Amino acid sequence: MKHVPRKRFGQNFLQDQSIIHKIIECINPQRNQNIVEIGPGLAALTKPLIESLDKLTVVELDRDIIEFLKKNFTPEQLTIVEGDALKINFAEFGDVRVVGNLPYNISTPILFHLSQFVNVRNMVFMLQKEVVERICAKPNISDYGKLSIMLQYKFKCRYLLDVPPESFYPAPKVDSAIVSLTPRTDYDYSQVNEEKLNLVVSKAFNQRRKTISNSLKGLISAEQLQSLGVDASLRAENIAIDDFIKISELL
């Protein structure tokens, strides 16, 4: 099938077999696992995943690709969910791992959508390298920000692999990388009020060059910060995730 990549779907198709093999190693699919692949495209990952699994489910929006998948795989091998991943209720899949080469233009909304489902046991995605660096960033570096905090408070995030542009057709203008996100088990993150945490983090990083006491003025006082053991003279990028959670608990 000669499929013309569609810009509106953010389509860039993997074609480097050595990279595909490395990505499958990163995913490490096990025979009895329930895995959903978002955006299978021309089956670069789909085919080796099917070879390792009893059955695979894919989520795809492009009707031409759906027809391609139906012609190349049997219903016993592949369940095709036609639709937008942002509108899919992933709770319906039970305990599930979610993988894929996400369209870069909607990758962050998809990550936050998936983060709401407690049945998602692990995610392994190819994203724009810059986004992966921000997801995995630690305090005290410029990449550390809202994306880092709002995902890391729930997930253990691991930067796994770089993927160069020439691995795709058409070659994107940016580098890519593989990231793994696994729900944290070291504490009960369900007790964190996500709405309050999001408010604090958004306000802090909207003015990231200011001190935390200035950027949170009107929300939290310098005295309250000090009572938590947070240095009010630090900037947002210097504040640990645990401290942002403590601040949010005062609201």
Side-chain angles (χ1 to χ4, degrees), residues 104 127-134 159 162-163 174-177:
Y104 293 173
L127 307 171
Q128 188 173 335
K129 181 177 180 178
E130 176 188 325
V131 174
V132 174
E133 289 172 340
R134 286 165 52 209
Y159 189 126
D162 287 327
V163 182
V174 295
D175 289 333
S176 305

Side-chain angles (χ1 to χ4, degrees), residues 5-57:
R6 297 184 180 181
K7 186 174 287 188
R8 70 189 178 98
F9 289 148
Q11 291 177 340
N12 299 90
F13 299 119
L14 265 175
Q15 59 181 4
D16 184 324
Q17 290 301 315
S18 65
I19 289 291
I20 291 168
H21 178 71
K22 288 178 182 177
I23 295 171
I24 295 298
E25 286 186 334
C26 288
I27 296 171
N28 190 26
Q30 302 298 309
R31 179 64 59 187
N32 62 347
Q33 286 181 337
N34 180 23
I35 293 183
V36 172
E37 181 188 7
I38 295 176
L42 300 181
L45 297 178
T46 309
K47 188 174 185 296
L49 282 171
I50 284 174
E51 291 170 356
S52 300
L53 298 168
D54 292 328
K55 190 169 185 177
L56 177 67
T57 299

Side-chain angles (χ1 to χ4, degrees), residues 149-212:
I149 294 163
M150 297 309 296
L151 288 175
Q152 286 184 40
Y153 97 86
K154 280 187 176 180
F155 300 100
K156 180 180 179 182
C157 303
R158 293 190 299 139
Y159 189 126
L160 299 179
L161 178 71
D162 287 327
V163 182
E166 56 268 25
S167 303
F168 300 87
Y169 170 76
K173 296 178 181 178
V174 295
D175 289 333
S176 305
I178 306 295
V179 65
S180 168
L181 298 94
T182 304
R184 289 177 59 172
T185 57
D186 56 321
Y187 83 113
D188 185 4
Y189 61 79
S190 69
Q191 298 303 306
V192 176
N193 186 312
E194 186 168 270
E195 187 176 341
K196 290 181 179 179
L197 180 61
N198 184 61
L199 174 63
V200 169
V201 173
S202 297
K203 196 168 173 62
F205 282 95
N206 278 345
Q207 304 177 79
R208 64 183 298 150
R209 303 309 298 167
K210 290 189 174 184
T211 64
I212 194 73

Side-chain angles (χ1 to χ4, degrees), residues 1 22 25 31 50 58 66 85-86 90 110 116 129 132-133 140-141 175 194 202 219 225 240 245 248:
M1 172 187 177
K22 288 178 182 177
E25 286 186 334
R31 179 64 59 187
I50 284 174
V58 297
I66 289 168
L86 285 169
F90 282 83
I110 288 176
Q116 303 306 309
K129 181 177 180 178
V132 174
E133 289 172 340
N140 303 312
I141 62 172
D175 289 333
E194 186 168 270
S202 297
L219 203 62
L225 289 171
I245 292 172
S248 72

